[in-house]
Amino acid sequence: MLPEYRTIYQGGEDEIVEKKSRFIATVIPVENEEEALEFIEKTKKKYWDARHNCFAYVIGERGQLQRCSDDGEPNGTAGKPMLDVLLGNELRNVAVVVTRGLVRAYSQAVKAGLRASVVITKILGVKLHIETDYTTFGKIQYILAQRELKILDTVYTDKVELEVLIPKTELEQVMHAITEGTNAQADMTPKEECYYAEIDGVPTVLE
């Protein structure tokens, strides 16, 4: 028996993110190959949705048994470098699995990406041109405000001209409400259709 050798007293787990890939390393002490293989299978089941579970282990006081696996990664790019770290640290009776590419890691990354993004709902709208006199202008403003409709432009001359952005599905309803509310004192002409979205609470026409 060797007077001394390096091994693991208590295993641990940690992770790093490298080139947008998540790597989880799980290390445990083992006494024989059977324990190492059992640990590897257990880890694969735990991270069943991973793309790769690469492993390496060194068994025996003198490192008599050494095994490693790339688990689908390019040959020599995963298992061997892992084994080299164990050997470089002169560790014995140790096993490590590095898990890469968890499905749930990808999904969590997507969720985080979405939280950092501006997610919009594109709405098909119609630009409605309205001409009215000043006496009915206030009534039209009230009708539009009730429906939270966006006035894109207002021109004041001897009359008032408005360009209003309205969801296409609400166009007939809005035109009817304006006709009723102004006793047909407003001239309305539907113009081009366009997509728009609420961005920071403001309806914005999209290109």
Side-chain angles (χ1 to χ4, degrees), residues 12-174:
E13 183 177 288
D14 205 352
E15 67 178 82
I16 63 168
V17 176
E18 181 73 23
K19 296 181 179 178
K20 300 181 181 179
S21 288
R22 184 183 178 201
F23 296 79
I24 300 174
T26 309
V27 180
I28 70 162
V30 292
E31 292 297 321
N32 50 55
E33 189 172 32
E34 184 179 353
E35 286 185 16
L37 295 175
E38 183 179 341
F39 158 65
I40 292 162
E41 286 305 310
K42 184 177 179 181
T43 306
K44 285 184 176 181
K45 287 179 181 178
K46 179 181 179 181
Y47 298 121
W48 60 270
D49 54 354
R51 291 174 59 191
H52 306 284
N53 282 290
C54 308
F55 66 82
Y57 56 85
V58 180
I59 307 295
E61 296 174 356
R62 290 181 170 81
Q64 300 96 310
L65 180 61
Q66 304 172 14
R67 296 281 187 275
C68 63
S69 169
D70 297 309
D71 193 37
E73 290 277 32
N75 188 39
T77 63
K80 182 61 165 61
M82 291 166 59
L83 182 60
D84 287 344
V85 172
L86 298 181
L87 295 175
N89 282 275
E90 300 181 344
L91 290 169
R92 305 293 184 259
N93 292 347
V94 59
V96 58
V97 175
V98 173
T99 304
R100 179 186 179 192
L102 299 174
V103 170
R104 66 170 168 271
Y106 286 119
S107 66
Q108 290 301 319
V110 171
K111 289 176 184 177
L114 291 176
R115 286 194 297 270
S117 303
V118 178
V119 181
I120 63 171
T121 300
K122 293 175 69 172
I123 303 168
L124 181 60
V126 177
K127 292 180 181 179
L128 179 64
H129 184 78
I130 305 171
E131 292 185 10
T132 187
D133 57 34
Y134 284 87
T135 57
T136 57
F137 176 47
K139 182 62 177 178
I140 293 172
Q141 282 183 307
Y142 175 76
I143 292 169
L144 297 175
Q146 271 190 320
R147 291 166 171 76
E148 299 181 347
L149 296 173
K150 172 71 172 177
I151 299 176
L152 296 176
D153 193 23
T154 307
V155 178
Y156 301 95
T157 54
D158 57 330
K159 57 188 176 183
V160 182
E161 296 183 49
L162 306 171
E163 188 172 70
V164 184
L165 188 56
I166 299 171
K168 187 176 180 180
T169 55
E170 299 178 24
L171 180 62
E172 290 186 14
Q173 180 185 349
V174 172

